[in-house]
Amino acid sequence: MITLTEENYIKAIYHLGKYGKEMVNTNAIAEALDTKASSVTDMVKKLSEKGYLNYKKYQGVILTEKGKDVAVNIVRKHRLWEVFLVEKLNFTWDEVHEVAEHLEHIRSEKLINELEAFLEFPMYDPHGDPIPDRHGNFKNIDKVALAQSEVGKVYTCVGVKDTSSKFLKYLDSNNIGLGTIIEVLYKEPFDNSVKIKLNAAEMVVSQNVAKNLFLKEV
Amino acid sequence: MITLTEENYIKAIYHLGKYGKEMVNTNAIAEALDTKASSVTDMVKKLSEKGYLNYKKYQGVILTEKGKDVAVNIVRKHRLWEVFLVEKLNFTWDEVHEVAEHLEHIRSEKLINELEAFLEFPMYDPHGDPIPDRHGNFKNIDKVALAQSEVGKVYTCVGVKDTSSKFLKYLDSNNIGLGTIIEVLYKEPFDNSVKIKLNAAEMVVSQNVAKNLFLKEV
DNA sequence: ATTTAATTTTAGACTAGTCTAAATAATATT
DNA sequence: AATATTATTTAGACTAGTCTAAAATTAAAT
Ligand SMILES: [Mn+2]
Ligand SMILES: [Mn+2]
Ligand SMILES: [Mn+2]
Ligand SMILES: [Mn+2]
Protein backbone atom coordinates (compact mmCIF):
# COMPACT_ATOMS: atom_id res chain seq x y z
CA MET A 1 0.00 0.00 0.00
CA ILE A 2 1.20 3.47 -0.90
CA THR A 3 -0.08 6.55 0.89
CA LEU A 4 -1.09 9.92 -0.52
CA THR A 5 1.89 11.54 1.19
CA GLU A 6 4.29 9.02 -0.27
CA GLU A 7 2.85 9.72 -3.72
CA ASN A 8 3.46 13.43 -3.29
CA TYR A 9 7.07 12.84 -2.28
CA ILE A 10 7.69 10.53 -5.23
CA LYS A 11 6.15 12.97 -7.70
CA ALA A 12 8.21 15.86 -6.32
CA ILE A 13 11.41 13.82 -6.53
CA TYR A 14 10.51 12.84 -10.08
CA HIS A 15 10.15 16.44 -11.18
CA LEU A 16 13.18 17.72 -9.27
CA GLY A 17 15.38 14.99 -10.76
CA LYS A 18 14.43 15.59 -14.41
CA TYR A 19 12.07 12.62 -14.86
CA GLY A 20 13.87 10.61 -12.22
CA LYS A 21 17.24 10.71 -13.98
CA GLU A 22 19.21 12.85 -11.54
CA MET A 23 19.95 12.69 -7.83
CA VAL A 24 17.87 14.97 -5.66
CA ASN A 25 18.99 16.36 -2.33
CA THR A 26 17.07 16.70 0.88
CA ASN A 27 16.66 20.45 1.01
CA ALA A 28 15.28 20.63 -2.52
CA ILE A 29 12.55 18.14 -1.62
CA ALA A 30 11.74 19.99 1.58
CA GLU A 31 11.46 23.23 -0.36
CA ALA A 32 9.23 21.72 -3.04
CA LEU A 33 6.85 20.13 -0.54
CA ASP A 34 6.90 23.02 1.91
CA THR A 35 8.13 20.83 4.71
CA LYS A 36 11.27 20.47 6.84
CA ALA A 37 14.48 18.67 5.90
CA SER A 38 14.18 16.39 8.91
CA SER A 39 10.77 15.21 7.75
CA VAL A 40 12.20 14.50 4.33
CA THR A 41 14.98 12.37 5.80
CA ASP A 42 12.42 10.25 7.63
CA MET A 43 10.31 9.82 4.52
CA VAL A 44 13.10 8.98 2.09
CA LYS A 45 14.24 6.25 4.48
CA LYS A 46 10.79 4.74 4.32
CA LEU A 47 10.54 5.13 0.54
CA SER A 48 13.95 3.52 0.23
CA GLU A 49 12.86 0.52 2.31
CA LYS A 50 9.76 0.20 0.17
CA GLY A 51 11.88 0.17 -2.97
CA TYR A 52 10.73 3.41 -4.57
CA LEU A 53 14.15 5.04 -4.50
CA ASN A 54 17.80 4.62 -3.61
CA TYR A 55 19.03 6.67 -0.74
CA LYS A 56 22.61 7.34 0.32
CA LYS A 57 23.11 9.30 3.48
CA TYR A 58 24.20 12.89 2.90
CA GLN A 59 24.22 12.21 -0.84
CA GLY A 60 20.59 12.40 -1.91
CA VAL A 61 18.06 10.11 -3.55
CA ILE A 62 17.27 8.80 -7.00
CA LEU A 63 14.08 7.01 -8.05
CA THR A 64 14.10 3.32 -8.91
CA GLU A 65 12.15 2.00 -11.92
CA LYS A 66 9.34 1.17 -9.49
CA GLY A 67 9.43 4.74 -8.18
CA LYS A 68 9.41 6.21 -11.68
CA ASP A 69 6.41 4.07 -12.60
CA VAL A 70 4.49 5.48 -9.65
CA ALA A 71 5.52 9.04 -10.50
CA VAL A 72 4.57 8.80 -14.17
CA ASN A 73 1.19 7.36 -13.26
CA ILE A 74 0.47 10.27 -10.93
CA VAL A 75 1.63 12.77 -13.54
CA ARG A 76 -0.67 11.06 -16.05
CA LYS A 77 -3.65 11.41 -13.72
CA HIS A 78 -2.77 14.97 -12.79
CA ARG A 79 -2.63 16.11 -16.41
CA LEU A 80 -5.72 14.25 -17.57
CA TRP A 81 -7.73 15.81 -14.76
CA GLU A 82 -6.38 19.22 -15.74
CA VAL A 83 -7.60 18.70 -19.29
CA PHE A 84 -11.00 17.63 -17.98
CA LEU A 85 -11.31 20.72 -15.81
CA VAL A 86 -10.46 23.08 -18.68
CA GLU A 87 -12.25 21.29 -21.52
CA LYS A 88 -15.41 20.27 -19.72
CA LEU A 89 -15.81 22.35 -16.57
CA ASN A 90 -14.81 25.83 -17.70
CA PHE A 91 -11.72 26.11 -15.52
CA THR A 92 -8.95 28.42 -16.68
CA TRP A 93 -5.38 27.18 -16.92
CA ASP A 94 -4.43 29.02 -13.77
CA GLU A 95 -7.17 27.36 -11.70
CA VAL A 96 -6.60 23.70 -12.44
CA HIS A 97 -3.38 22.92 -10.65
CA GLU A 98 -4.68 23.06 -7.10
CA VAL A 99 -7.65 20.78 -7.71
CA ALA A 100 -5.65 18.35 -9.85
CA GLU A 101 -3.21 18.09 -6.96
CA HIS A 102 -5.94 16.23 -5.09
CA LEU A 103 -7.67 14.41 -7.96
CA GLU A 104 -4.35 12.83 -8.99
CA HIS A 105 -4.53 10.59 -5.91
CA ILE A 106 -7.86 8.93 -6.71
CA ARG A 107 -7.01 5.29 -7.28
CA SER A 108 -9.01 3.62 -10.05
CA GLU A 109 -7.60 2.19 -13.26
CA LYS A 110 -11.00 2.22 -14.88
CA LEU A 111 -11.66 5.82 -13.87
CA ILE A 112 -8.52 7.22 -15.41
CA ASN A 113 -8.61 5.12 -18.57
CA GLU A 114 -12.26 5.98 -19.20
CA LEU A 115 -11.54 9.64 -18.47
CA GLU A 116 -8.74 9.55 -21.02
CA ALA A 117 -11.08 8.06 -23.64
CA PHE A 118 -13.83 10.55 -22.75
CA LEU A 119 -11.35 13.37 -23.38
CA GLU A 120 -10.40 11.69 -26.67
CA PHE A 121 -6.84 10.83 -25.69
CA PRO A 122 -5.35 14.31 -25.35
CA MET A 123 -1.60 14.59 -25.96
CA TYR A 124 -0.94 17.68 -23.85
CA ASP A 125 -2.31 19.25 -20.70
CA PRO A 126 -3.42 22.92 -20.48
CA HIS A 127 0.16 24.00 -19.78
CA GLY A 128 1.61 22.22 -22.80
CA ASP A 129 3.01 19.27 -20.82
CA PRO A 130 2.77 15.81 -22.42
CA ILE A 131 0.35 13.23 -21.02
CA PRO A 132 1.75 9.70 -20.51
CA ASP A 133 -0.37 6.89 -21.96
CA ARG A 134 -1.57 3.97 -19.84
CA HIS A 135 1.79 2.26 -20.25
CA GLY A 136 3.64 5.31 -19.01
CA ASN A 137 5.00 6.29 -22.42
CA PHE A 138 5.14 9.89 -23.54
CA LYS A 139 7.35 12.00 -25.74
CA ASN A 140 8.70 15.39 -24.79
CA ILE A 141 8.15 18.00 -27.44
CA ASP A 142 11.39 19.75 -28.37
CA LYS A 143 10.92 23.25 -27.14
CA VAL A 144 13.13 26.19 -26.25
CA ALA A 145 12.66 28.90 -23.64
CA LEU A 146 12.10 32.39 -24.99
CA ALA A 147 15.31 33.31 -23.15
CA GLN A 148 17.23 30.88 -25.37
CA SER A 149 15.43 31.82 -28.61
CA GLU A 150 17.08 33.48 -31.59
CA VAL A 151 16.46 37.07 -32.58
CA GLY A 152 14.61 37.39 -35.88
CA LYS A 153 12.92 34.00 -35.78
CA VAL A 154 9.22 33.31 -35.42
CA TYR A 155 7.92 30.83 -32.84
CA THR A 156 4.70 29.35 -31.46
CA CYS A 157 4.13 29.25 -27.72
CA VAL A 158 3.92 25.57 -26.74
CA GLY A 159 4.26 25.54 -22.97
CA VAL A 160 5.12 27.17 -19.66
CA LYS A 161 7.64 26.22 -17.00
CA ASP A 162 6.16 28.15 -14.10
CA THR A 163 2.53 27.06 -13.70
CA SER A 164 1.72 29.42 -10.85
CA SER A 165 -1.52 31.32 -11.02
CA LYS A 166 0.37 34.61 -10.93
CA PHE A 167 2.44 33.88 -14.00
CA LEU A 168 -0.47 32.40 -15.98
CA LYS A 169 -2.64 35.41 -15.21
CA TYR A 170 0.15 37.69 -16.36
CA LEU A 171 0.24 35.82 -19.66
CA ASP A 172 -3.56 36.01 -19.97
CA SER A 173 -3.56 39.75 -19.41
CA ASN A 174 -1.03 40.09 -22.24
CA ASN A 175 -2.91 37.73 -24.57
CA ILE A 176 -0.21 35.08 -24.51
CA GLY A 177 -1.38 31.49 -24.52
CA LEU A 178 -0.62 28.11 -26.10
CA GLY A 179 -0.55 28.58 -29.87
CA THR A 180 0.28 32.27 -29.76
CA ILE A 181 2.69 33.33 -32.52
CA ILE A 182 5.71 35.22 -31.22
CA GLU A 183 8.47 36.92 -33.20
CA VAL A 184 11.68 37.66 -31.31
CA LEU A 185 12.71 41.25 -32.14
CA TYR A 186 15.53 42.17 -29.77
CA LYS A 187 17.36 40.96 -26.69
CA GLU A 188 18.55 43.60 -24.26
CA PRO A 189 22.00 42.55 -22.93
CA PHE A 190 21.74 44.82 -19.89
CA ASP A 191 18.89 42.98 -18.10
CA ASN A 192 18.22 40.07 -20.48
CA SER A 193 14.75 41.36 -21.23
CA VAL A 194 13.30 40.47 -24.63
CA LYS A 195 11.33 42.55 -27.11
CA ILE A 196 8.77 40.47 -28.99
CA LYS A 197 5.99 40.97 -31.51
CA LEU A 198 2.62 39.34 -30.97
CA ASN A 199 -0.69 40.07 -32.65
CA ALA A 200 0.97 42.83 -34.66
CA ALA A 201 1.88 44.66 -31.42
CA GLU A 202 5.26 44.95 -29.75
CA MET A 203 6.05 44.37 -26.10
CA VAL A 204 9.00 43.81 -23.79
CA VAL A 205 9.09 40.94 -21.30
CA SER A 206 11.49 40.47 -18.40
CA GLN A 207 14.13 37.77 -18.16
CA ASN A 208 11.94 36.01 -15.61
CA VAL A 209 9.13 35.74 -18.13
CA ALA A 210 11.51 34.77 -20.94
CA LYS A 211 12.82 31.84 -18.92
CA ASN A 212 9.38 30.45 -18.19
CA LEU A 213 7.84 30.58 -21.64
CA PHE A 214 8.51 27.65 -23.99
CA LEU A 215 8.49 28.10 -27.76
CA LYS A 216 8.82 26.03 -30.90
CA GLU A 217 9.98 27.26 -34.29
CA VAL A 218 7.25 27.54 -36.89
CA MET B 1 -10.32 22.58 9.00
CA ILE B 2 -12.20 19.36 8.65
CA THR B 3 -10.41 16.12 7.83
CA LEU B 4 -11.40 13.36 5.42
CA THR B 5 -11.95 11.01 8.35
CA GLU B 6 -14.21 13.48 10.11
CA GLU B 7 -16.24 13.82 6.93
CA ASN B 8 -16.72 10.07 6.73
CA TYR B 9 -17.92 9.94 10.32
CA ILE B 10 -20.35 12.81 9.81
CA LYS B 11 -21.78 11.26 6.65
CA ALA B 12 -22.23 7.89 8.34
CA ILE B 13 -23.99 9.49 11.31
CA TYR B 14 -26.20 11.42 8.92
CA HIS B 15 -27.35 8.26 7.14
CA LEU B 16 -27.71 6.19 10.30
CA GLY B 17 -29.83 8.90 11.92
CA LYS B 18 -32.31 9.34 9.07
CA TYR B 19 -30.94 12.60 7.63
CA GLY B 20 -29.58 13.64 11.01
CA LYS B 21 -32.96 13.57 12.74
CA GLU B 22 -32.40 10.66 15.12
CA MET B 23 -29.81 9.83 17.75
CA VAL B 24 -27.16 7.35 16.69
CA ASN B 25 -25.32 5.06 19.06
CA THR B 26 -21.64 4.21 19.14
CA ASN B 27 -21.79 0.62 17.98
CA ALA B 28 -23.86 1.48 14.92
CA ILE B 29 -21.23 4.00 13.81
CA ALA B 30 -18.43 1.53 14.46
CA GLU B 31 -20.24 -1.08 12.39
CA ALA B 32 -20.92 1.33 9.51
CA LEU B 33 -17.34 2.53 9.32
CA ASP B 34 -15.76 -0.85 9.97
CA THR B 35 -13.92 0.44 13.01
CA LYS B 36 -13.97 -0.16 16.78
CA ALA B 37 -16.35 1.41 19.29
CA SER B 38 -13.46 2.90 21.23
CA SER B 39 -12.28 4.74 18.13
CA VAL B 40 -15.77 6.09 17.64
CA THR B 41 -15.91 7.41 21.18
CA ASP B 42 -12.69 9.34 20.63
CA MET B 43 -13.92 10.76 17.34
CA VAL B 44 -17.38 11.83 18.51
CA LYS B 45 -15.77 13.70 21.37
CA LYS B 46 -13.71 15.63 18.88
CA LEU B 47 -16.65 16.22 16.54
CA SER B 48 -18.66 17.42 19.51
CA GLU B 49 -15.98 19.92 20.48
CA LYS B 50 -15.87 21.13 16.89
CA GLY B 51 -19.61 21.68 16.94
CA TYR B 52 -20.66 19.12 14.36
CA LEU B 53 -22.80 17.09 16.75
CA ASN B 54 -24.14 16.82 20.28
CA TYR B 55 -22.80 13.97 22.33
CA LYS B 56 -24.11 12.64 25.62
CA LYS B 57 -22.13 9.90 27.27
CA TYR B 58 -23.70 6.48 26.95
CA GLN B 59 -26.63 8.05 25.07
CA GLY B 60 -25.38 8.56 21.54
CA VAL B 61 -24.94 11.48 19.16
CA ILE B 62 -27.10 13.68 16.99
CA LEU B 63 -25.89 16.06 14.31
CA THR B 64 -26.10 19.83 14.75
CA GLU B 65 -27.20 22.07 11.88
CA LYS B 66 -23.54 22.64 11.13
CA GLY B 67 -23.01 18.88 11.03
CA LYS B 68 -25.99 18.33 8.78
CA ASP B 69 -24.71 20.98 6.36
CA VAL B 70 -21.42 19.16 6.07
CA ALA B 71 -23.17 15.82 5.58
CA VAL B 72 -25.53 17.06 2.89
CA ASN B 73 -22.65 18.64 1.01
CA ILE B 74 -20.73 15.37 0.97
CA VAL B 75 -23.83 13.47 -0.12
CA ARG B 76 -24.29 16.01 -2.90
CA LYS B 77 -20.76 15.50 -4.12
CA HIS B 78 -20.97 11.72 -3.79
CA ARG B 79 -24.11 11.49 -5.89
CA LEU B 80 -23.03 13.95 -8.56
CA TRP B 81 -19.79 12.02 -9.05
CA GLU B 82 -21.81 8.81 -9.32
CA VAL B 83 -23.90 10.33 -12.10
CA PHE B 84 -20.74 11.47 -13.86
CA LEU B 85 -19.20 8.01 -13.71
CA VAL B 86 -22.30 6.34 -15.14
CA GLU B 87 -23.34 8.95 -17.67
CA LYS B 88 -19.92 9.93 -19.01
CA LEU B 89 -17.42 7.22 -18.13
CA ASN B 90 -19.36 3.99 -18.79
CA PHE B 91 -19.41 2.82 -15.19
CA THR B 92 -22.25 0.51 -14.14
CA TRP B 93 -24.35 1.33 -11.08
CA ASP B 94 -22.59 -1.32 -9.04
CA GLU B 95 -19.12 0.10 -9.76
CA VAL B 96 -19.59 3.73 -8.80
CA HIS B 97 -19.91 3.65 -5.04
CA GLU B 98 -16.31 2.79 -4.21
CA VAL B 99 -14.79 5.51 -6.39
CA ALA B 100 -17.37 8.12 -5.33
CA GLU B 101 -16.40 7.36 -1.74
CA HIS B 102 -13.08 9.04 -2.50
CA LEU B 103 -14.17 11.71 -4.99
CA GLU B 104 -16.70 13.06 -2.47
CA HIS B 105 -13.83 14.48 -0.42
CA ILE B 106 -12.35 16.69 -3.12
CA ARG B 107 -12.81 20.23 -1.87
CA SER B 108 -13.70 22.76 -4.57
CA GLU B 109 -16.91 24.72 -4.81
CA LYS B 110 -16.28 25.53 -8.43
CA LEU B 111 -15.53 21.92 -9.30
CA ILE B 112 -18.77 20.54 -7.94
CA ASN B 113 -20.99 23.33 -9.21
CA GLU B 114 -19.50 23.12 -12.70
CA LEU B 115 -19.80 19.35 -12.63
CA GLU B 116 -23.46 19.70 -11.71
CA ALA B 117 -24.03 22.06 -14.65
CA PHE B 118 -22.04 19.81 -16.99
CA LEU B 119 -24.34 16.93 -16.04
CA GLU B 120 -27.33 19.22 -16.64
CA PHE B 121 -28.50 19.36 -13.03
CA PRO B 122 -29.51 15.76 -12.49
CA MET B 123 -32.22 15.16 -9.86
CA TYR B 124 -31.29 11.59 -8.95
CA ASP B 125 -28.17 9.48 -8.74
CA PRO B 126 -27.80 6.05 -10.41
CA HIS B 127 -29.45 4.39 -7.39
CA GLY B 128 -32.50 6.66 -7.43
CA ASP B 129 -31.33 8.82 -4.51
CA PRO B 130 -32.04 12.56 -4.71
CA ILE B 131 -29.17 15.01 -5.29
CA PRO B 132 -29.13 18.09 -3.04
CA ASP B 133 -28.71 21.42 -4.84
CA ARG B 134 -25.95 23.87 -3.96
CA HIS B 135 -28.00 25.19 -1.05
CA GLY B 136 -28.44 21.71 0.39
CA ASN B 137 -32.10 21.44 -0.60
CA PHE B 138 -33.55 18.23 -1.98
CA LYS B 139 -36.88 16.47 -1.89
CA ASN B 140 -37.33 12.81 -1.12
CA ILE B 141 -39.49 11.04 -3.64
CA ASP B 142 -42.34 9.18 -1.95
CA LYS B 143 -41.51 5.56 -2.51
CA VAL B 144 -42.44 2.25 -0.97
CA ALA B 145 -40.42 -0.93 -0.59
CA LEU B 146 -41.62 -3.90 -2.63
CA ALA B 147 -42.14 -5.64 0.71
CA GLN B 148 -44.72 -2.98 1.64
CA SER B 149 -46.41 -2.88 -1.76
CA GLU B 150 -49.98 -3.94 -2.46
CA VAL B 151 -50.87 -7.07 -4.38
CA GLY B 152 -52.53 -6.35 -7.71
CA LYS B 153 -51.03 -2.91 -8.22
CA VAL B 154 -48.48 -1.84 -10.82
CA TYR B 155 -45.33 0.07 -9.88
CA THR B 156 -42.18 1.55 -11.34
CA CYS B 157 -38.81 0.81 -9.77
CA VAL B 158 -37.42 4.13 -8.50
CA GLY B 159 -34.57 3.18 -6.19
CA VAL B 160 -32.61 0.70 -4.11
CA LYS B 161 -31.80 0.66 -0.41
CA ASP B 162 -28.86 -1.74 -0.50
CA THR B 163 -26.30 -0.31 -2.95
CA SER B 164 -23.84 -3.18 -2.62
CA SER B 165 -22.34 -4.56 -5.79
CA LYS B 166 -23.79 -7.99 -5.02
CA PHE B 167 -27.37 -6.79 -4.83
CA LEU B 168 -27.11 -4.54 -7.88
CA LYS B 169 -25.62 -7.32 -9.95
CA TYR B 170 -28.45 -9.59 -8.88
CA LEU B 171 -30.91 -7.00 -10.14
CA ASP B 172 -29.00 -6.63 -13.41
CA SER B 173 -29.05 -10.36 -14.02
CA ASN B 174 -32.82 -10.31 -13.58
CA ASN B 175 -33.30 -7.26 -15.77
CA ILE B 176 -34.48 -5.05 -12.95
CA GLY B 177 -33.34 -1.44 -13.02
CA LEU B 178 -34.61 2.09 -12.44
CA GLY B 179 -37.75 2.54 -14.53
CA THR B 180 -38.61 -1.14 -14.70
CA ILE B 181 -42.36 -1.78 -14.49
CA ILE B 182 -43.32 -4.30 -11.82
CA GLU B 183 -46.73 -5.78 -11.10
CA VAL B 184 -47.18 -7.37 -7.68
CA LEU B 185 -48.91 -10.71 -8.16
CA TYR B 186 -48.76 -12.55 -4.84
CA LYS B 187 -47.18 -12.37 -1.41
CA GLU B 188 -46.26 -15.65 0.22
CA PRO B 189 -47.02 -15.39 3.97
CA PHE B 190 -44.71 -18.28 4.84
CA ASP B 191 -41.41 -16.61 3.98
CA ASN B 192 -42.57 -13.14 2.85
CA SER B 193 -41.32 -13.75 -0.66
CA VAL B 194 -43.10 -11.87 -3.44
CA LYS B 195 -44.22 -13.02 -6.86
CA ILE B 196 -43.97 -10.26 -9.44
CA LYS B 197 -44.45 -9.77 -13.16
CA LEU B 198 -41.87 -7.93 -15.20
CA ASN B 199 -41.39 -7.80 -18.97
CA ALA B 200 -44.35 -10.16 -19.36
CA ALA B 201 -42.49 -12.82 -17.33
CA GLU B 202 -43.15 -13.92 -13.75
CA MET B 203 -40.59 -14.36 -11.01
CA VAL B 204 -40.34 -14.78 -7.27
CA VAL B 205 -38.03 -12.62 -5.15
CA SER B 206 -37.02 -13.19 -1.54
CA GLN B 207 -37.99 -10.97 1.38
CA ASN B 208 -34.45 -9.64 1.44
CA VAL B 209 -34.82 -8.40 -2.13
CA ALA B 210 -38.34 -7.10 -1.49
CA LYS B 211 -37.09 -4.95 1.37
CA ASN B 212 -34.32 -3.36 -0.68
CA LEU B 213 -36.23 -2.43 -3.80
CA PHE B 214 -38.13 0.88 -3.84
CA LEU B 215 -41.21 1.37 -5.98
CA LYS B 216 -43.68 4.08 -6.91
CA GLU B 217 -47.24 3.57 -8.11
CA VAL B 218 -47.79 4.27 -11.80
C1' DA C 1 45.19 22.49 6.52
C1' DT C 2 42.10 24.70 9.54
C1' DT C 3 38.24 27.08 10.29
C1' DT C 4 33.59 28.45 8.83
C1' DA C 5 29.34 27.77 6.76
C1' DA C 6 25.82 25.04 4.78
C1' DT C 7 23.56 20.71 4.54
C1' DT C 8 21.83 16.65 6.46
C1' DT C 9 20.74 13.50 10.05
C1' DT C 10 19.36 12.18 14.79
C1' DA C 11 16.80 12.58 19.05
C1' DG C 12 12.78 13.51 21.18
C1' DA C 13 8.18 15.37 21.16
C1' DC C 14 3.66 16.27 19.14
C1' DT C 15 -1.21 15.34 16.64
C1' DA C 16 -4.53 12.32 14.16
C1' DG C 17 -6.38 8.11 14.08
C1' DT C 18 -6.48 3.53 15.39
C1' DC C 19 -6.30 -0.73 18.40
C1' DT C 20 -6.64 -4.10 22.69
C1' DA C 21 -7.86 -4.84 27.20
C1' DA C 22 -9.89 -3.36 31.33
C1' DA C 23 -13.37 -0.61 33.74
C1' DT C 24 -17.88 1.39 33.98
C1' DA C 25 -22.68 2.16 32.93
C1' DA C 26 -27.09 0.65 31.09
C1' DT C 27 -30.23 -3.05 29.99
C1' DA C 28 -32.20 -7.55 30.33
C1' DT C 29 -33.07 -11.74 32.91
C1' DT C 30 -34.04 -14.39 36.50
C1' DA D 1 -33.70 -7.00 43.85
C1' DA D 2 -29.85 -9.21 42.55
C1' DT D 3 -27.39 -11.02 38.69
C1' DA D 4 -25.94 -11.53 34.04
C1' DT D 5 -25.43 -9.51 29.55
C1' DT D 6 -24.58 -5.89 26.43
C1' DA D 7 -23.04 -1.27 25.26
C1' DT D 8 -19.89 2.25 26.07
C1' DT D 9 -15.99 4.53 27.81
C1' DT D 10 -11.19 4.80 29.62
C1' DA D 11 -6.30 3.72 29.74
C1' DG D 12 -2.39 2.80 27.42
C1' DA D 13 0.02 1.64 23.22
C1' DC D 14 0.91 1.87 18.29
C1' DT D 15 1.80 4.00 13.24
C1' DA D 16 2.11 7.90 9.97
C1' DG D 17 3.65 12.18 9.46
C1' DT D 18 5.38 16.30 11.21
C1' DC D 19 8.24 19.63 14.04
C1' DT D 20 12.32 21.85 16.87
C1' DA D 21 16.78 21.66 18.52
C1' DA D 22 21.08 19.52 18.67
C1' DA D 23 24.68 16.64 16.55
C1' DA D 24 27.16 15.08 12.55
C1' DT D 25 28.76 15.38 7.95
C1' DT D 26 30.12 17.68 3.75
C1' DA D 27 31.50 21.74 1.16
C1' DA D 28 33.48 26.32 1.02
C1' DA D 29 36.67 29.81 2.51
C1' DT D 30 40.37 31.32 4.41
MN1 LIG E 1 -0.89 15.75 -4.78
MN1 LIG F 1 -0.19 21.01 -15.84
MN1 LIG G 1 -15.70 8.76 1.86
MN1 LIG H 1 -25.71 6.35 -4.83
Side-chain angles (χ1 to χ4, degrees):
Chain A
M1 234 323 76
I2 189 168
T3 71
L4 184 149
T5 310
E6 289 170 347
E7 288 186 344
N8 281 334
Y9 270 87
I10 290 170
K11 193 183 72 165
I13 293 165
Y14 176 79
H15 282 132
L16 289 167
K18 305 275 165 66
Y19 322 111
K21 286 201 286 277
E22 294 175 13
M23 268 222 161
V24 182
N25 54 4
T26 305
N27 265 5
I29 301 169
E31 160 101 44
L33 292 173
D34 195 26
T35 184
K36 302 291 162 163
S38 54
S39 305
V40 173
T41 301
D42 284 345
M43 181 56 82
V44 297
K45 278 180 186 169
K46 187 163 60 134
L47 292 175
S48 171
E49 273 168 21
K50 287 193 172 188
Y52 295 113
L53 50 79
N54 292 116
Y55 166 54
K56 276 181 218 103
K57 265 193 189 180
Y58 295 99
Q59 299 302 119
V61 300
I62 189 160
L63 290 180
T64 60
E65 283 306 312
K66 182 182 171 185
K68 271 186 268 188
D69 287 349
V70 169
V72 171
N73 192 246
I74 299 171
V75 167
R76 165 173 160 79
K77 291 194 278 182
H78 185 104
R79 292 177 181 167
L80 281 171
W81 279 117
E82 285 190 342
V83 172
F84 171 70
L85 295 175
V86 167
E87 296 288 315
K88 306 293 183 183
L89 300 194
N90 303 308
F91 277 61
T92 53
W93 69 343
D94 62 292
E95 294 176 315
V96 297
H97 192 75
E98 190 193 335
V99 182
E101 201 58 45
H102 298 287
L103 285 165
E104 70 188 2
H105 301 289
I106 302 290
R107 257 179 280 268
S108 165
E109 280 291 317
K110 173 154 186 164
L111 172 61
I112 203 65
N113 289 335
E114 290 285 350
L115 180 66
E116 182 184 33
F118 180 62
L119 298 171
E120 292 169 30
F121 300 91
M123 300 288 287
Y124 301 100
D125 85 354
H127 310 106
D129 292 312
I131 298 175
D133 68 16
R134 71 181 64 189
H135 306 297
N137 301 317
F138 66 98
K139 58 174 193 305
N140 263 309
I141 197 174
D142 55 339
K143 58 200 174 190
V144 59
L146 172 55
Q148 269 72 53
S149 66
E150 288 177 44
V151 172
K153 288 193 172 173
V154 179
Y155 299 86
T156 317
C157 176
V158 294
V160 291
K161 188 174 189 183
D162 179 358
T163 60
S164 73
S165 186
K166 263 187 186 167
F167 180 56
L168 297 175
K169 277 179 172 160
Y170 163 84
L171 295 179
D172 281 341
S173 67
N174 287 100
N175 295 308
I176 302 174
L178 299 192
T180 301
I181 304 292
I182 291 176
E183 183 180 346
V184 182
L185 299 177
Y186 174 69
K187 289 187 163 187
E188 172 57 57
F190 170 63
D191 61 0
N192 295 311
S193 63
V194 185
K195 182 187 279 188
I196 61 178
K197 184 163 88 176
L198 56 96
N199 304 326
E202 291 183 7
M203 75 173 287
V204 175
V205 300
S206 69
Q207 179 180 29
N208 189 2
V209 170
K211 278 181 172 175
N212 283 294
L213 198 60
F214 289 129
L215 310 175
K216 196 180 112 180
E217 270 191 72
V218 291
Chain B
M1 232 329 74
I2 188 168
T3 70
L4 183 149
T5 310
E6 288 170 347
E7 288 186 343
N8 280 333
Y9 270 88
I10 290 170
K11 192 183 72 165
I13 293 165
Y14 176 79
H15 282 133
L16 289 168
K18 305 276 165 65
Y19 320 112
K21 286 202 285 276
E22 293 175 13
M23 267 221 164
V24 181
N25 54 4
T26 305
N27 266 4
I29 301 169
E31 160 100 44
L33 292 174
D34 195 26
T35 183
K36 301 292 162 167
S38 55
S39 304
V40 174
T41 301
D42 283 345
M43 181 55 82
V44 296
K45 278 180 186 168
K46 187 165 57 136
L47 292 175
S48 172
E49 273 168 20
K50 287 192 172 188
Y52 295 113
L53 50 80
N54 292 116
Y55 167 54
K56 277 180 218 106
K57 265 193 189 179
Y58 295 99
Q59 298 302 117
V61 300
I62 190 161
L63 291 180
T64 60
E65 283 306 312
K66 182 181 172 187
K68 272 186 270 189
D69 287 349
V70 169
V72 170
N73 192 247
I74 298 170
V75 167
R76 166 173 159 78
K77 290 193 278 181
H78 185 104
R79 292 177 182 167
L80 281 170
W81 279 116
E82 285 190 342
V83 172
F84 171 70
L85 295 175
V86 167
E87 296 288 314
K88 307 293 183 184
L89 299 194
N90 304 308
F91 276 62
T92 53
W93 69 342
D94 61 291
E95 293 176 316
V96 296
H97 192 75
E98 190 194 334
V99 182
E101 201 58 43
H102 297 288
L103 286 165
E104 70 187 1
H105 301 289
I106 302 289
R107 257 179 278 269
S108 166
E109 280 291 317
K110 171 154 188 163
L111 172 61
I112 203 64
N113 290 335
E114 290 285 351
L115 180 65
E116 182 184 33
F118 180 62
L119 298 171
E120 293 169 25
F121 300 92
M123 300 288 287
Y124 301 100
D125 85 354
H127 310 106
D129 292 312
I131 298 174
D133 69 16
R134 72 181 65 192
H135 306 297
N137 301 317
F138 66 97
K139 57 172 195 306
N140 263 310
I141 195 173
D142 55 341
K143 59 198 174 190
V144 58
L146 173 55
Q148 269 73 53
S149 67
E150 287 177 45
V151 172
K153 288 192 171 172
V154 180
Y155 299 85
T156 317
C157 177
V158 295
V160 290
K161 187 174 188 184
D162 179 358
T163 60
S164 73
S165 185
K166 264 187 186 168
F167 180 57
L168 298 175
K169 276 180 173 160
Y170 162 85
L171 294 179
D172 281 342
S173 66
N174 288 100
N175 294 306
I176 301 174
L178 298 193
T180 301
I181 304 294
I182 291 176
E183 182 180 346
V184 182
L185 299 177
Y186 174 69
K187 290 187 162 186
E188 173 56 56
F190 171 63
D191 61 359
N192 295 311
S193 63
V194 185
K195 182 187 279 187
I196 61 178
K197 186 163 88 178
L198 57 94
N199 304 325
E202 292 183 6
M203 75 173 287
V204 175
V205 300
S206 69
Q207 180 181 26
N208 188 3
V209 170
K211 278 181 171 173
N212 283 293
L213 198 60
F214 289 130
L215 309 175
K216 197 179 111 180
E217 270 192 70
V218 290

